[in-house]
Each structure stands twice: as structure tokens, then as C-alpha cells.
Amino acid sequence: VQVQGNEVRINVRLLDGKTGFETWGNRFKGTIDDVFALQERVAGAVVQGLSEILGFTLVAPIIHEITANRQAYDLYMQGRALGRRIVGEGVLETAVELLEQSLKIDPQFAQCWTALAEANAYMTVFTPNTEKMPFVARMAECATKAIEILPTQGHALVLLGIQKWTQNDPLAALDLAFEAYRLEPNNSEVLARLGSFLAYCGLTQQSIPYIAAAAEQDPLNGRHLVHLSTALLNMGDVAAARRVGEKIVAVGFPSLWLGVASAAAGEHELAVKQYAQTRLMMNSIMTAP
């Protein structure tokens, strides 16, 4: 993707992994002001091209115009990317700041309210603080605002389920997660949260299909892989848990879960080394061992 002034150029290529030769390609031009229409045009063309070259039918995604303000959209994308990264000094604080700035520009930006709710949820776990309830309250406030603007947002609804856990109400949390799944059955964040809620209740076997589906849809999301590794370990499949643990490290997430799986396999010295790598990565935001 190249941007010069108001002009955007996108070059898409499909390469043969064995030969390195290009098997399909296309180029697109547009403007920043028309970025959503450009997204839709690129998505449709890529799906059609891949369908033809790979020999099976793919369905073009629907691109929704989530905000009409380009600056709000840019801030949202930056904040969401940092929020999903989670690990790193000041990462989540910066994510919250960027998302708050986006909402000042467009207060009706429902997806941004959801992203801000999720960032506040992560703040309770991955930042050193002694008082977590203000973050929980802000998370619930943002998720509620997102649902008011766009009632079909299952992702926001499942974040309200996290608040129910803090209130010691797992049944209400599960109810919200299943309703979120009804609204957005193909949202990987919803799948992962529903699966994790089931696992927290001890229903590990029921949780795995949801968590595995989330990891398949978004294979670079370290959190989804963490839930999957934990669930497999709880089911006694140590070898599979270690394989997923290796993927967790490969996508740049802490190696704590790989260390736990190695320890379960009896390789204690290796587990200590892997856990030490977790400490190096997470530094002052280390969670409880």
C-alpha cells in the first residue's frame, strides 16, 4: 500500500511459494476520501481473482462504513492494533488514548467504543495496578454505549459478560456470551470469549470447538492461541498444548503457556527457560505466576 497526498495505490500479488513466481495480481487506485469504497472494490476483486486461480468459490466480505470521518478511522485502527498487541510498556495506555481521541471526533463510532471497552478489559490484567474496578466500570460503560449505537454488536455484549465475572455471576456471563454468539457467530473475538467462559466454568470439552474456531479464523491472535493451549492442557493433551504454545511464541506473545505445557510434559529445566523468556518480554507488566 502506497499513500502520497490524498492518493492511495494498492498492489496485490499471489506468489507460488515453491517457485516465487507471480500467479495472480492486480493494482488499484483510489483516494483517502473514498477509502471505504476502495476497500470494498479491493476485497471483491481479490476474492474473485483467488476464486479463479485456486479453483473454488469464495464469498466477498461485506465492508461496512463504520465511520465517515477518516481521522477517526485512522486513530481507531492504530488504537485497535495496539490494543490487540497487549504486551509492551505503555502499549495499552497508548491504545486507550488513541481510541478516546477517535471518539471525541466521532462519538457515534460504535466499533471504536467496543475497542475501547476491550482495551480497558486488558488494562485490568496486563498493566500493574492495584485498583482494577475503575477499568471494569469503564469497560462496561463503553460496551453499553456501543450496543446503544449498534445493538447487533455481539463483541460488545460479550465484554459485558466480563463484568458479570467480576460480580461473581458466571451464569449471567454465559447468557451474554451465548447471546453475543447468536448475534455474531463468525466473530473470532466472540467465539474466543464464549469458549473461555465455558472453560472458566470447568466445561473445557464444550469450550474447545469455539476456541479452536476463533484460532482458525484469526491465527495470529495470541490470546486465542493462549485459550486453546490452556484448554488442550486441561483435557490432558500435553503434546497438542505444546504445539499451540510454540505458535503463541511465534506470533510474538509471552511464552508462559509454552512453559506450563513443557512443565506438564516433565521437561522442567526447559520450562524454566521458557518462563524466563516470558519475564523478559513482559517486564513490569508480569501477571501472577
Side-chain angles (χ1 to χ4, degrees):
V1 179
Q2 296 174 308
V3 180
Q4 184 173 8
N6 199 44
E7 185 180 351
V8 182
R9 294 181 182 180
I10 300 173
N11 182 17
V12 185
R13 295 186 296 161
L14 177 67
L15 303 181
D16 186 312
K18 293 180 179 178
T19 66
F21 289 115
E22 181 177 325
T23 58
W24 177 85
N26 209 334
R27 293 173 176 81
F28 308 90
K29 291 183 179 180
T31 65
I32 290 289
D33 297 329
D34 201 23
V35 66
F36 298 110
L38 180 60
Q39 270 188 301
E40 192 162 6
R41 185 155 55 90
V42 171
V46 169
V47 166
Q48 182 179 349
L50 293 180
S51 294
E52 293 172 0
I53 198 72
L54 297 176
F56 55 83
T57 303
L58 299 170
V59 179
I62 298 172
I63 307 298
H64 298 286
E65 184 172 327
I66 56 181
T67 177
N69 188 288
R70 178 168 58 88
Q71 187 181 1
Y73 181 73
D74 287 346
L75 290 165
Y76 161 72
M77 292 298 287
Q78 294 173 52
R80 190 182 68 162
L82 287 175
R84 290 184 173 184
R85 195 173 119 195
I86 299 175
V87 177
E89 294 298 320
V91 165
L92 288 173
E93 290 88 345
T94 304
V96 168
E97 183 180 337
L98 290 168
L99 294 169
E100 295 275 15
Q101 289 176 24
S102 174
L103 289 167
K104 286 181 180 178
I105 298 170
D106 183 1
Q108 296 301 305
F109 194 166
Q111 289 84 352
C112 192
W113 282 110
T114 299
L116 182 57
E118 187 168 54
N120 275 279
Y122 292 150
M123 289 284 284
T124 67
V125 179
F126 293 100
T127 60
N129 59 74
T130 56
E131 184 50 65
K132 299 181 183 295
M133 292 316 294
F135 293 112
V136 174
R138 181 59 174 157
M139 173 195 68
E141 178 187 359
C142 294
T144 301
K145 182 68 175 177
I147 294 167
E148 288 174 358
I149 298 169
L150 188 63
T152 56
Q153 272 214 95
H155 188 187
L157 198 63
V158 81
L159 288 169
L160 287 178
I162 298 175
Q163 183 191 32
K164 294 301 180 183
W165 280 102
T166 68
Q167 297 169 345
N168 296 317
D169 194 348
L171 186 60
L174 274 174
D175 286 344
L176 287 168
F178 276 111
E179 176 61 14
Y181 177 69
R182 185 186 70 80
L183 292 170
E184 289 191 290
N186 297 315
N187 186 319
S188 67
E189 297 292 343
V190 171
L191 288 164
R193 293 287 183 186
L194 172 55
S196 66
F197 285 8
L198 288 167
Y200 297 155
C201 291
L203 303 174
T204 306
Q205 191 163 4
Q206 293 94 314
S207 78
I208 289 179
Y210 297 106
I211 298 172
E216 184 177 354
Q217 283 188 31
D218 191 357
L220 298 182
N221 189 314
R223 278 192 64 260
H224 299 347
L225 295 172
V226 164
H227 287 309
L228 183 57
S229 181
T230 303
L232 290 168
L233 190 61
N234 289 348
M235 291 299 295
D237 194 343
V238 177
R242 291 183 78 179
R243 287 195 296 271
V244 176
E246 290 167 355
K247 291 182 181 180
I248 294 170
V249 177
V251 301
F253 232 64
S255 55
L256 165 63
W257 293 271
L258 177 57
V260 171
S262 295
E267 297 187 35
H268 302 298
E269 289 186 10
L270 176 61
V272 169
K273 291 179 181 178
Q274 290 166 339
Y275 192 81
Q277 290 299 314
T278 296
R279 293 181 61 193
L280 287 173
M281 176 176 283
M282 298 190 73
N283 199 12
S284 67
I285 57 170
M286 187 63 208
T287 55

